[in-house]
Amino acid sequence: MNTTRRKLVIANWKMHLNTSQASLLLHRLHERIKIHRDIEVVLAPSMLVLQPLSMQIDRRKFRLAAQNAFYKDEGAFTGEVSFTMLRDLVHYVIIGHSERRIHFHESYEEIAQKVAAAVRNGITPVLCVGETQEERHNGETKQVLHDQITTALSHLTAAEVEQVVIAYEPVWAISTFGGELAKPDDIQRQFEFIRHQIAELYTKKASKAVRVLYGGSVDDQLAGGYLQIPGCDGVLVGSASLNYHKFSGIIDAAYRVQNSAKE
Ligand code: PGA
């Protein structure tokens, strides 16, 4: 596995920060962050903030992601925004986040449709997978990951799967759902299982190409440790991404890990 693959650091701002707050945070991050070829920093603000932020960002430093979108390209779907509408605005869309699965009852099929719509529109899906506390206690983690991955990617070809990003986010480790700290050994085991699934379902090439991230209570203190887990291509950060010091600390950790991997 290529440990010097670009590291991806994604800030999931969730339903926080209005346009001026987001703009201020971006401004401060811009001043602090250097252009780094081996690190990709992605900001996922609310839908409302995407357009104004896209005018402000320095594209050498940041990319944008949406936190969700609807899978139909156009039509009478009141309240929805399509992947087609987002295609010139974002590089990534977060799909199947546990908050969407739990609070908005997104089904496996809906998530599969969203992944397909993202790919169809030239946007990279960041597919979130992960077991709940109950599933973990019942020993169902692998079954859950298997089901989430096979269904979500079912409309894609092996070549399309190569482009996908998968974020392993155990629900019990997400700060707002409990925030229990996941152990690096366990995370590594799930990463290996995810890649094994991709190799079984698609090709070895796809399993090597797919980027796998970790998410769940990642902050500036823990990021370095998570980023050093073999096979970890980056982190998906929730609450710590709203804090300027913590988020810039996470990016610093990614620099350090990336530089030490090169030495
Ligand atoms: P957290 O959230 O970093 O606050 O745990 C991660 C996520 O929900 O993506």
Side-chain angles (χ1 to χ4, degrees):
M1 210 169 290
N2 179 8
T3 50
T4 56
R5 203 161 26 197
R6 272 182 112 195
K7 290 269 189 265
L8 190 54
V9 178
I10 306 182
N12 178 9
W13 288 348
K14 307 193 179 181
M15 202 174 70
H16 298 287
L17 307 183
N18 63 23
T19 305
S20 51
Q21 291 164 330
S23 165
L24 184 63
L25 180 53
L26 171 62
H27 177 74
R28 296 187 71 197
L29 289 171
H30 173 75
E31 300 217 305
R32 168 76 157 63
I33 291 171
K34 295 190 273 311
I35 296 168
H36 200 297
R37 242 182 300 125
D38 300 322
I39 313 280
E40 210 179 324
V41 181
V42 178
L43 306 175
S46 78
M47 204 60 103
L48 190 67
V49 171
L50 275 174
Q51 184 91 49
L53 227 57
S54 80
M55 319 257 210
Q56 190 189 337
I57 60 166
D58 181 338
R59 288 181 168 68
R60 295 166 305 169
K61 293 188 184 177
F62 303 100
R63 286 182 158 174
L64 289 175
Q67 298 173 15
N68 179 40
F70 188 55
Y71 56 81
K72 295 279 189 186
D73 287 342
E74 203 190 331
F77 301 101
T78 301
E80 295 299 316
V81 173
S82 71
F83 288 87
T84 313
M85 289 167 167
L86 290 169
R87 59 181 305 161
D88 297 325
L89 213 51
V90 301
H91 270 86
Y92 296 94
V93 177
I94 298 171
I95 298 175
H97 190 279
S98 52
E99 287 153 15
R100 298 222 50 93
R101 294 181 196 258
I102 293 167
H103 301 312
F104 302 96
H105 313 291
E106 278 191 12
S107 67
Y108 284 178
E109 181 49 27
E110 229 174 305
I111 290 166
Q113 296 279 6
K114 290 184 179 197
V115 169
V119 170
R120 181 168 75 236
N121 284 287
I123 300 171
T124 302
V126 178
L127 171 69
C128 299
V129 297
E131 77 286 1
T132 62
Q133 183 70 287
E134 195 187 349
E135 289 161 344
R136 177 193 186 202
H137 282 148
N138 293 339
E140 294 166 358
T141 300
K142 288 203 161 47
Q143 188 60 46
V144 169
L145 293 180
H146 168 271
D147 292 351
Q148 289 178 341
I149 291 168
T150 47
T151 53
L153 303 181
S154 59
H155 301 304
L156 305 190
T157 64
E160 287 167 341
V161 169
E162 288 175 24
Q163 310 301 318
V164 170
V165 176
I166 298 180
Y168 172 56
E169 295 205 306
V171 178
W172 46 270
I174 293 178
S175 61
T176 47
F177 285 125
E180 203 183 313
L181 294 186
K183 294 193 189 75
D185 284 357
D186 289 336
I187 298 171
Q188 185 178 346
R189 222 168 300 130
Q190 310 314 350
F191 281 177
E192 284 164 5
F193 180 73
I194 290 168
R195 286 194 199 276
H196 175 74
Q197 285 300 305
I198 306 283
E200 292 267 290
L201 290 163
Y202 296 93
T203 56
K204 277 227 168 65
K205 187 166 172 249
S207 87
K208 285 201 178 120
V210 83
R211 283 174 292 171
V212 183
L213 315 182
Y214 175 70
S217 299
V218 176
D219 65 14
D220 50 329
Q221 304 300 314
L222 298 166
Y226 288 137
L227 287 161
Q228 283 178 62
I229 296 172
C232 182
D233 296 311
V235 283
L236 177 53
V237 187
S239 60
S241 72
L242 296 165
N243 179 301
Y244 162 78
H245 293 288
K246 288 186 183 171
F247 192 61
S248 34
I250 293 169
I251 296 165
D252 289 344
Y255 289 165
R256 280 197 298 276
V257 171
Q258 202 66 333
N259 286 338
S260 64
K262 276 187 183 167
E263 280 163 8

